Amino acid sequence: MAKRTPIRTAALTALILGTALAPQHAGVAADAHRVPVIQVAASEATSRFIPLGIGKSVAIDLPRDIKDVLVADPKIANAVIRSSRRVYMIGVKVGQTNIFFFDAEGKQIAGFDIAVTRDLNGLRAALKQLMPDSDIRIEGVGENAVMLTGTAANPTESQQAFDMASRLVGDSAKVVNGLTVRGRDQVMLKVTVAEVQRDVVKQLGIDLSGSLNYGSAVVNFNTDNPFSATGQALSNTSFAGSVNGVSATLRAMERAGVIRTLAEPNLTAISGETATFVAGGEFPIPSGLSCDTTKSPPICQPQIDFKKFGVSLVFTPIVLSEGRISLKVMTEVSDLSQQNAITVAIPGSTQPLTVPSIQTRRADTVVEIPSGGSLAMAGMIQEQTKQSINGIPGLMQVPILGTLFKSRDYLNHQSELMVLVTPYVVRAVAQKQLSKPDDGFADPTDPSTAFLGRLNRIYGVAGKPEPRPVNAYRGKYGFILD
């Protein structure tokens, strides 16, 4: 028994040591195959954005003691530590960088994304002082650009803020205007275009034809004096007579005409937008020929283009402030005229094509007037006189008798154009407050038309005037005034 005890003791000792050492060797083998973990100590994802001006600084208190500081680009911004928990960050140059702070254990205390831009505090104070009713914010973007955000009270203040920011950076292309206008005013433009033209044409000419015999010599003569001022005779009316084989044809014509043009277009547009009005038509003019060469002879057809004429109005209003309107107006009055008309011969057609000309009066200007004020934008008086005398040299200078050998053409053209412009700052109204030209119109009955000659029915009680409001307009009103 004494000999078995050491053997059992040694076996038990070996079993205990093996059990204790087995887990240790297994852990070493597992650590040999484990992948090391990489952690991001500091990044922009956990950074705070701080804008700084050049030469400006900001003081920041940190929650723990600072052990290490990392400045990505010291040429743009710098960090100065005065105590273990207070740091001063200073903007040096326009650009962007970041700054990180670490404690004694190497853990990140804070991170800041620094954007150094121009010093905009002076511009912010100026915008606040000049535009107290607007909420305009300005921030730097990139190296030299700025961005305007917020709301402006009217388009004028929005444009003024944009101009001030453009002056600061030196280039309007580097200013991003993100301002929103609270309320955009609407402007109604009332335009009156009035023109009167007066034409006086006088034509007098005598044409002679016949034969003169001097012995055996025979002289035949025939005169046809043109009217060069007008370009053609106004009428084919003539008086002819014959004396001793000499025929005389008298062509005389006098014409006087008056043309009156009146247009009153009314347009409404939002401040800053453009409105267009056209009242007229289009007339065809030939632009070329289209020929079918498969046939003999070729058959040609004229190609037609259309040109516009009439009264046109284009205006762009900008409400500067309460009651002040900057107005860009372009108005044009054009009509057809036989003066300077051309005649085009069409192949395959016996009738020539006459293309009229266009007389155009145009005014284009930019003005600033108050709401409700009128401006005579264009008052033009034009007078044109043409006179020509055609005849046989020598004979036409003979007093009295020289009238038989010449023709006189006289043309006098006078025109006066007046354009009145009146802008109003308007607001929307209900439909029931508006009237139309056909309100109350109805076709009459057949007996009323046949026996009474009425073209429309009559409404209302005769002799009873309509009630007039207290502040009613007392001038003439309506759509067509005679």
Side-chain angles (χ1 to χ4, degrees):
M1 294 299 293
K3 294 180 179 180
R4 295 177 180 177
T5 302
I7 297 174
R8 292 178 178 178
T9 304
L12 181 59
T13 302
L15 179 60
I16 295 173
L17 291 176
T19 304
L21 293 177
Q24 183 178 358
H25 291 291
V28 173
D31 291 340
H33 294 84
R34 183 176 299 174
V35 179
V37 179
I38 300 176
Q39 296 182 353
V40 178
S43 66
E44 295 182 357
T46 58
S47 300
R48 295 180 58 184
F49 175 77
I50 295 180
L52 284 178
I54 299 178
K56 300 294 183 177
S57 62
V58 60
I60 296 177
D61 292 331
L62 299 178
R64 300 192 300 274
D65 294 341
I66 303 171
K67 182 62 177 180
D68 191 12
V69 180
L70 173 61
V71 180
D73 191 350
K75 295 181 180 180
I76 296 178
N78 195 9
V80 178
I81 300 176
R82 292 297 184 181
S83 65
S84 60
R85 295 193 178 186
R86 172 165 292 185
V87 61
Y88 300 93
M89 291 183 290
I90 304 172
V92 180
K93 180 182 177 182
V94 175
Q96 293 185 354
T97 185
N98 47 20
I99 301 176
F100 297 100
F101 299 93
F102 302 92
D103 57 10
E105 298 179 358
K107 295 181 180 180
Q108 176 183 352
I109 302 176
F112 300 95
D113 189 4
I114 308 298
V116 181
T117 59
R118 297 174 180 267
D119 186 10
L120 304 176
N121 291 331
L123 182 58
R124 292 189 182 97
L127 292 175
K128 188 64 176 178
Q129 181 179 0
L130 295 176
M131 309 169 192
D133 297 334
S134 300
D135 183 16
I136 300 177
R137 298 181 295 273
I138 181 170
E139 300 294 341
V141 179
E143 296 185 0
N144 297 320
V146 296
M147 180 174 63
L148 297 173
T149 57
T151 59
N154 50 62
T156 304
E157 294 189 357
S158 176
Q159 184 64 31
Q160 289 179 352
F162 180 79
D163 294 339
M164 294 175 65
S166 301
R167 291 288 185 89
L168 175 66
V169 300
D171 187 4
S172 60
K174 297 181 180 179
V175 179
V176 180
N177 190 358
L179 294 176
T180 302
V181 181
R182 294 175 186 170
R184 303 185 67 181
D185 294 323
Q186 298 186 79
V187 178
M188 184 190 74
L189 187 68
K190 180 180 180 181
V191 179
T192 301
V193 180
E195 182 182 21
V196 176
Q197 299 182 23
R198 180 175 181 268
D199 292 329
V200 176
V201 181
K202 298 179 181 180
Q203 293 180 344
L204 177 62
I206 298 177
D207 299 332
L208 300 176
S209 64
S211 300
L212 297 178
N213 298 327
Y214 294 95
S216 60
V218 179
V219 177
N220 297 321
F221 60 91
N222 186 8
T223 61
D224 187 4
N225 299 319
F227 299 102
S228 56
T230 308
Q232 60 182 354
L234 297 180
S235 175
N236 295 325
T237 303
S238 61
F239 303 91
S242 177
V243 178
N244 296 329
V246 178
S247 299
T249 302
L250 174 64
R251 294 184 297 171
M253 186 66 186
E254 182 175 352
R255 184 180 69 184
V258 175
I259 300 176
R260 175 176 178 262
T261 302
L262 177 64
E264 293 185 337
N266 295 336
L267 286 179
T268 303
I270 298 176
S271 177
E273 302 295 334
T274 301
T276 303
F277 169 84
V278 177
E282 297 181 350
F283 73 98
I285 61 172
S287 60
L289 292 176
S290 177
C291 298
D292 186 3
T293 58
T294 59
K295 298 181 181 180
S296 181
I299 300 177
C300 297
Q301 296 292 335
Q303 299 292 327
I304 302 300
D305 287 342
F306 290 88
K307 296 295 182 180
K308 296 181 179 180
F309 69 95
V311 179
S312 65
L313 171 66
V314 179
F315 84 103
T316 304
I318 298 178
V319 180
L320 301 178
S321 62
E322 189 67 27
R324 293 175 56 242
I325 302 173
S326 176
L327 199 63
K328 181 179 181 181
V329 183
M330 195 283 287
T331 182
E332 179 179 308
V333 180
S334 60
D335 53 8
L336 301 180
S337 174
Q338 295 300 324
Q339 297 182 5
N340 302 322
I342 60 174
T343 301
V344 181
I346 301 177
S349 177
T350 58
Q351 295 294 333
L353 179 63
T354 301
V355 180
S357 62
I358 297 181
Q359 291 184 348
T360 303
R361 283 79 67 199
R362 182 184 297 112
D364 190 355
T365 184
V366 179
V367 295
E368 180 179 334
I369 52 180
S371 176
S374 297
L375 174 70
M377 189 183 65
M380 181 180 64
I381 299 176
Q382 180 181 6
E383 183 174 359
Q384 183 181 24
T385 301
K386 293 182 180 181
Q387 185 171 203
S388 64
I389 297 178
N390 301 278
I392 301 175
L395 297 178
M396 60 182 296
Q397 277 80 25
V398 178
I400 300 176
L401 295 179
T403 308
L404 300 175
F405 304 97
K406 64 183 179 181
S407 64
R408 175 177 179 259
D409 193 7
Y410 173 80
L411 172 64
N412 180 259
H413 175 77
Q414 298 176 346
S415 66
E416 181 176 359
L417 174 66
M418 176 69 72
V419 180
L420 300 178
V421 180
T422 306
Y424 299 92
V425 178
V426 297
R427 300 290 184 268
V429 297
Q431 184 179 3
K432 63 181 180 181
Q433 299 179 2
L434 302 177
S435 62
K436 304 186 298 296
D438 60 342
D439 287 346
F441 178 83
D443 293 331
T445 60
D446 293 340
S448 178
T449 303
F451 296 105
L452 301 179
R454 292 178 178 175
L455 300 178
N456 62 284
R457 297 184 183 181
I458 299 177
Y459 290 89
V461 180
K464 183 179 180 180
E466 296 181 358
R468 177 184 294 273
V470 178
N471 298 325
Y473 177 67
R474 300 184 180 275
K476 294 182 178 180
Y477 62 95
F479 296 92
I480 300 178
L481 300 177
D482 294 333

